[in-house]
Amino acid sequence: MDEKDERGAEMADLTRIAQVMVEAVNGPGHPSLPERLCVACVEALGTDAAAISLMADTGHRAGVWASDERARRLEERQFSLGEGPGVDAFRSRLPVLVDDLLASAENRWPVLGGVLAAEPYGEPLRRASALPLQLGSSCIGVLSLYHTVPGVPGIEETSDLQVAATTVTLAIVGSFVGTPTEAPVRPWLDGVPLNGVEVDQAIGMIMVQLGASATEALDRLRAHAFAHDQEIDKVAREVVRRQLRFTEEDR
């Protein structure tokens, strides 16, 4: 295949990806837009799973959506622990590519690696590509794409990943902005799988209980979730319902 044919094939791949994503955006309202985008990423890119996490610069997360339970739990683990490719991609505003999350040589996230190795939920997700959902200088979250087989993405695949991340960003931002003649349509936020509001409320309550900063309160929430093998939104819900109270002894 000569250089002209290679460029043509690459454009055809990008067109196919864009078409699948457009169909996801314009599809029916259920499942929600982010869930449809996750499924579209799996279909268009040939990955085994995908997840979208919307986050704020404060480190709080508005929600997480995934193509399957494995990806959702992996996103949840990263947020609960405060480490992982998705966390690093959001903080750095740069893509984070991981050949094998379970490799012994992968020591960037030691706690996460140990937790993932012990996960009993189906075939593990090994290879990860985390891409910031960025528009200008603003970052609204992360698109994470997973494979069950370890490996290194090629140049063309890396380009496809960026196309998908850009499309997801524009689709989500567009759902907030709407058009000059139409109001924004974002009912999917009403049923966010992870209740970011409850997490924020819990952080505020822990700040009062311990006289701590927001960062320390989030750290305490994460530590409790990890120590008791619970998801952070479940712990937050217990705090908000006054079923759990943090004391000085928990510091």
Side-chain angles (χ1 to χ4, degrees):
M1 183 182 292
D2 60 26
E3 185 177 343
K4 182 177 179 181
D5 290 338
E6 288 179 354
R7 285 200 302 269
E10 181 177 350
M11 289 304 298
D13 285 342
L14 295 179
T15 300
R16 174 182 57 80
I17 293 169
Q19 182 60 39
V20 172
M21 303 296 275
V22 167
E23 290 174 357
V25 172
N26 295 327
H30 299 286
S32 66
L33 172 61
E35 289 175 291
R36 297 201 306 274
L37 290 171
C38 288
V39 173
C41 284
V42 171
E43 178 183 343
L45 301 172
T47 62
D48 293 309
I52 294 172
S53 291
L54 298 186
M55 302 176 69
D57 284 332
T58 56
H60 300 173
R61 188 170 61 177
V64 60
W65 297 262
S67 61
D68 65 22
E69 181 63 15
R70 294 173 303 172
R72 189 198 68 78
R73 286 185 62 84
L74 183 44
E75 294 296 298
E76 175 60 39
R77 290 299 192 188
Q78 292 183 67
F79 183 68
S80 295
L81 296 172
E83 68 172 44
V87 174
D88 283 5
F90 183 79
R91 289 173 177 167
S92 68
R93 305 296 199 262
L94 294 171
V96 175
L97 307 180
V98 188
D99 301 348
D100 188 356
L101 286 166
L102 299 181
S104 57
E106 181 53 76
N107 56 13
R108 284 176 287 181
W109 314 288
V111 180
L112 177 65
V115 169
L116 295 182
E119 283 281 10
Y121 296 93
E123 190 174 7
L125 299 173
R126 307 280 298 265
R127 174 177 152 199
S129 302
L131 302 104
L133 301 178
Q134 196 157 350
L135 193 64
S137 60
S138 299
C139 187
I140 62 171
V142 175
L143 169 66
S144 297
L145 302 162
Y146 299 106
H147 291 264
T148 57
V149 178
V152 180
I155 296 176
E156 290 186 8
E157 183 180 352
T158 302
S159 176
D160 291 348
L161 296 176
Q162 193 56 61
V163 169
T166 300
T167 306
V168 167
T169 302
L170 294 176
I172 290 176
V173 171
S175 75
F176 280 88
V177 175
T179 68
T181 58
E182 296 179 356
V185 180
R186 49 182 187 275
W188 45 271
L189 273 180
D190 296 336
V192 176
L194 171 66
N195 195 331
V197 174
E198 282 188 332
V199 171
D200 287 344
Q201 289 175 336
I203 288 172
M205 293 175 68
I206 295 170
M207 288 172 65
V208 173
Q209 292 167 7
L210 299 179
S213 66
T215 299
E216 184 179 351
L218 179 56
D219 287 344
R220 297 282 73 75
L221 194 63
R222 281 173 166 157
H224 185 95
F226 177 70
H228 294 82
D229 194 26
Q230 294 178 305
E231 296 185 356
I232 195 169
D233 56 322
K234 182 177 185 298
V235 178
R237 191 171 300 116
E238 291 177 356
V239 173
V240 171
R241 293 177 178 176
R242 293 178 170 76
Q243 297 169 343
L244 173 65
R245 179 180 177 83
F246 284 76
T247 65
E248 290 292 332
E249 289 138 3
D250 298 313
R251 300 186 75 165

